Amino acid sequence: MTNRRLYELVSDDGASISPFVWRTKYALAAKGLDYESTPLAFTEISQIEGGRFNTLPVLVDGIKVIGDSWAIADHLDVAYPARQPLFPFAAERSKAVFFDDWIGSTVRPLLFRICAFDIHEKLLAKDRDYFRSTREERLGESLEAAHAKRECLLPGLRAALEPVRLAARKAPYLGGQSPSYMDFMALGVFIWAGSVATTELLEKDDPVHGWLGRGLDLFGGIGRSNHLPGLGLAR
Amino acid sequence: MTNRRLYELVSDDGASISPFVWRTKYALAAKGLDYESTPLAFTEISQIEGGRFNTLPVLVDGIKVIGDSWAIADHLDVAYPARQPLFPFAAERSKAVFFDDWIGSTVRPLLFRICAFDIHEKLLAKDRDYFRSTREERLGESLEAAHAKRECLLPGLRAALEPVRLAARKAPYLGGQSPSYMDFMALGVFIWAGSVATTELLEKDDPVHGWLGRGLDLFGGIGRSNHLPGLGLAR
């Protein structure tokens, strides 16, 4: 019996598909904290916890209700000081923020454009109109138009992943010898895109696969609970 | 009287122009270590210290002679344990390596293509043939052909700097509240390109300027010893 509850964004087959929820799932696992999951549609987020949130993850931890993956990560370090910290030093947190800025301004936007149509097709039916209207505005084109160009974007995506590829050649994890929040953020992005993509995102021999396999195996293989067609991986 | 000597790559006006030498100059300054400089041409590197080196920086520290900026940084932390470490924790070093991979696979190659012709024009006369032949091979085109396209590359460069821009909005330095080796690496890249570029690399109102100004001011303003036309800054 746990007093933690994690609200997760799910697709029509019940898979957890938010990159931000996934980094929190890894953070909770790294701290050794269990939780109950509540699956949600995009259009249900505003209906939980008094309507205070419009994004996921949201974590209920006892009497606290926390939105935003960074706020949750900080909460976990403060609330569970006896467990291995996600950010042992302030400098490490700052560097993880830089990594988030990097992946969020380069890799994630490319993956979003490549996968936007595929995400739409996997969403719960009640989310599709909301997703289409908000995301087509962000893309500046229709989901179908973005989808038609996705093969052109794959070389740019693979080039943008070069820092991950170089890091993966030097050490088992992006932050060195042991997994860190940098890995959890990157794994979240790959699990998100890998869950929905209907094209293979990486070349078969991309060294990124080595790092990715280690990451998916962490904490009893939580990252392998989704079918990951975009990464060429069955459940 | 110091027993440290740093070999530096210089241009025809005596300015230190290697991004890798600059990160070492910042590292030495951060540790509070003085040194004598020996200016070198590209084509003189193979003539120093028994011909063991083909890149700069090279640091002579007492009886030790060390090439490669990372090896020098590690040496400084080992040899001067009583001074503020460049990498207080292994995890911090790993994250700096990731940052180096990022800047080295994105920003630096773009800047190189934008500035290659300008570098050639600033080099010592004896370096120009060597530079042209090796760099045109790397570019896959003539220095003049790359130069003719540089305006087309500026938007991509500015987009590639988005992680630096986002970090600069959150904290004074890339690694947080105080300068770290991540800043030194990035400053080295900007001083290198800023010293040679004959076009302004950043928009006047780019938030990157705020971080850059703080970085150039560090340690008595060592970063401002070069005239930096590519950054719109006189000496």
Side-chain angles (χ1 to χ4, degrees), chain A residues 95 170, chain B residues 6 19-25 27 55-59 66-78 86-104 108 180-186:
Chain A
K95 283 166 188 65
K170 288 178 195 166
Chain B
L6 181 66
F20 301 99
V21 170
W22 269 104
R23 58 170 74 169
T24 294
K25 288 166 72 73
T55 61
L56 294 178
V58 170
L59 179 73
I66 309 138
D68 180 77
S69 57
W70 277 100
I72 292 171
D74 289 335
H75 161 77
L76 295 178
D77 272 358
V78 170
L86 296 167
F87 307 112
F89 317 105
E92 184 149 356
R93 188 184 185 284
S94 298
K95 284 164 187 68
V97 169
F98 182 87
F99 183 86
D100 194 23
D101 288 340
W102 168 72
I103 207 164
R108 206 167 56 226
S180 73
Y181 202 69
M182 277 170 59
D183 297 282
F184 306 159
M185 292 187 284

Side-chain angles (χ1 to χ4, degrees), chain A residues 45-101:
Chain A
I45 301 172
S46 64
Q47 298 162 29
I48 60 161
E49 301 298 336
R52 289 165 51 199
F53 302 101
N54 50 33
T55 61
L56 295 178
V58 169
L59 179 72
V60 182
D61 191 358
I63 60 164
K64 291 200 172 165
V65 185
I66 309 138
D68 180 79
S69 57
W70 278 99
I72 292 170
D74 289 336
H75 161 78
L76 294 178
D77 272 358
V78 170
Y80 302 96
R83 297 179 185 241
Q84 173 72 27
L86 296 167
F87 307 112
F89 317 106
E92 185 150 355
R93 187 183 186 283
S94 297
K95 283 166 188 65
V97 169
F98 182 87
F99 183 86
D100 194 23
D101 288 341

Side-chain angles (χ1 to χ4, degrees), chain A residues 11-232:
Chain A
S11 59
D12 65 354
D13 59 356
S16 186
I17 55 159
S18 155
F20 301 99
V21 170
W22 269 103
R23 57 170 76 169
T24 295
K25 288 166 73 72
Y26 271 94
L28 285 159
K31 306 281 287 190
L33 299 169
D34 62 356
Y35 56 90
E36 286 184 0
S37 283
T38 298
L40 283 184
F42 270 120
T43 46
E44 292 170 336
I45 301 172
S46 64
Q47 298 162 29
I48 60 161
E49 301 298 336
R52 289 165 51 199
F53 302 101
N54 50 33
T55 61
L56 295 178
V58 169
L59 179 72
V60 182
D61 191 358
I63 60 164
K64 291 200 172 165
V65 185
I66 309 138
D68 180 79
S69 57
W70 278 99
I72 292 170
D74 289 336
H75 161 78
L76 294 178
D77 272 358
V78 170
Y80 302 96
R83 297 179 185 241
Q84 173 72 27
L86 296 167
F87 307 112
F89 317 106
E92 185 150 355
R93 187 183 186 283
S94 297
K95 283 166 188 65
V97 169
F98 182 87
F99 183 86
D100 194 23
D101 288 341
W102 168 71
I103 207 164
S105 66
T106 55
V107 176
R108 206 169 54 226
L110 274 169
L111 278 170
F112 176 68
R113 195 166 284 272
I114 291 166
C115 299
F117 177 81
D118 293 335
I119 297 171
H120 178 269
E121 298 298 295
K122 292 272 283 182
L123 285 181
L124 291 158
K126 60 180 155 187
D127 273 354
R128 292 188 187 181
D129 288 349
Y130 159 79
F131 183 86
R132 178 182 287 278
S133 63
T134 54
R135 270 48 175 187
E136 289 189 341
E137 188 177 339
R138 191 186 297 173
L139 290 168
E141 61 187 349
S142 72
L143 298 176
E144 287 75 9
H147 188 68
K149 287 184 270 185
R150 66 180 181 167
E151 295 297 328
C152 308
L153 296 178
L154 285 175
L157 168 73
R158 292 163 184 171
L161 288 168
E162 187 64 10
V164 172
R165 198 169 291 122
L166 291 168
R169 284 190 179 127
K170 288 178 195 166
Y173 298 101
L174 301 183
Q177 293 304 310
S178 51
S180 73
Y181 202 69
M182 277 170 58
D183 297 281
F184 305 159
M185 291 187 285
L187 287 164
V189 166
F190 277 100
I191 294 172
W192 158 66
S195 299
V196 295
T198 53
T199 189
E200 283 210 31
L201 300 166
L202 304 174
E203 304 264 19
K204 292 265 186 228
D205 60 351
D206 191 323
V208 171
H209 280 297
W211 160 80
L212 190 57
R214 277 186 293 280
L216 296 173
D217 283 341
L218 288 170
F219 314 124
I222 54 168
R224 298 190 188 276
S225 57
N226 284 10
H227 182 52
L228 299 168
L231 302 172

Side-chain angles (χ1 to χ4, degrees), chain B residues 155-167:
Chain B
L157 169 72
R158 292 164 184 168
L161 288 167
E162 187 64 10
V164 172
R165 198 169 291 123
L166 291 169

